[in-house]
Amino acid sequence: MSGLSNKNKLAPVPTQGSLLENQYNGARHNLLLVVGFTVINLILLLTNSNTYFLFSAYVPYVFGDLAMYFCGKYPAEYYGGDMANLQFAGNGVFAVLIGLAVVFIALYLLCWIFSKKQRVGWVIAALVLFCVDTLALFFIGGISADLIMDYVFHIWVIVSLSRGVFAHYKLKKLPPEEETVSEVEEQEAPAESESFVEN
């Protein structure tokens, strides 16, 4: 029983500072997920896969879709009917559009890399980029039941990044943290044992 009680006494007590730091790091983690799934979706698009993952930025996917469509990279049945006589653009246009998609993904990646060590300006930049991405989703995609999960995801990422920014500024306003309860107990334990031996 004494061993269990000692473990409970020494259990770390999370401070407000550590909670705010975790919130900031959580925002960065979600940003990295956006980068990863956007890359996956772009690759799936370029390989004519019918699979699409959420947790992805919309603008890079649009550039990839335009590249595939205007350069005739989709299967032939996609261009049936009135689109049968469509004049396709060359590989140069394809490369430019895919390059634009990669640039947007790279911007998110740079924001994740340089936002380390509480460099909140990069998280703010990512938040602005993703707000633009969300506006593009609404204006280009429109209001559609098929895109409900995309709307929900975009709003969730915006909230996550916003919370990360606010957490950073709250963390900066905190005074230097005092010793945690567990640290105090660790220091008091030897003193108590010494007094017991003296008696």
Side-chain angles (χ1 to χ4, degrees):
M1 293 295 292
S2 61
L4 291 174
S5 61
N6 287 337
K7 285 183 179 179
N8 290 333
K9 286 182 180 179
L10 299 178
V13 178
T15 62
Q16 186 180 3
S18 64
L19 292 174
L20 290 172
E21 190 171 352
N22 288 340
Q23 196 168 312
Y24 179 85
N25 291 331
R28 292 187 67 247
H29 175 74
N30 291 334
L31 179 59
L32 183 60
L33 288 178
V34 169
V35 173
F37 280 106
T38 304
V39 170
I40 292 171
N41 279 340
L42 186 60
I43 292 172
L44 291 173
L45 178 68
L46 297 179
T47 55
N48 279 311
S49 172
N50 292 323
T51 306
Y52 176 84
F53 291 99
L54 294 173
F55 228 88
S56 172
Y58 181 70
V59 170
Y61 192 85
V62 168
F63 279 121
D65 182 49
L66 291 175
M68 295 290 288
Y69 177 80
F70 286 114
C71 299
K73 303 295 184 180
Y74 281 125
E77 57 269 17
Y78 190 87
Y79 302 97
D82 295 335
M83 295 185 290
N85 297 321
L86 186 66
Q87 296 294 318
F88 297 123
N91 289 331
V93 174
F94 181 82
V96 168
L97 290 172
I98 296 301
L100 289 172
V102 172
V103 165
F104 271 88
I105 296 173
L107 288 175
Y108 286 115
L109 182 60
L110 288 174
C111 288
W112 176 77
I113 292 172
F114 292 111
S115 61
K116 208 172 182 181
K117 297 182 180 178
Q118 295 290 325
R119 294 174 182 169
V120 72
W122 290 95
V123 179
I124 295 173
L127 176 59
V128 172
L129 281 173
F130 209 77
C131 285
V132 172
D133 193 88
T134 304
L135 289 175
L137 173 63
F138 277 103
F139 282 109
I140 299 174
I143 306 299
S144 170
D146 295 337
L147 295 175
I148 287 178
M149 292 305 299
D150 284 290
Y151 302 146
V152 171
F153 156 71
H154 273 70
I155 293 171
W156 182 79
V157 171
I158 289 174
V159 170
S160 173
L161 293 174
S162 300
R163 290 182 65 192
V165 172
F166 286 124
H168 166 82
Y169 287 112
K170 285 183 182 178
L171 188 61
K172 290 298 181 184
K173 291 180 181 178
L174 287 180
E177 291 181 350
E178 298 178 358
E179 292 177 309
T180 61
V181 175
S182 60
E183 290 173 341
V184 173
E185 290 176 346
E186 285 180 27
Q187 291 174 3
E188 289 179 349
E192 291 176 357
S193 61
E194 286 174 8
S195 60
F196 179 77
V197 171
E198 291 174 0
N199 292 336

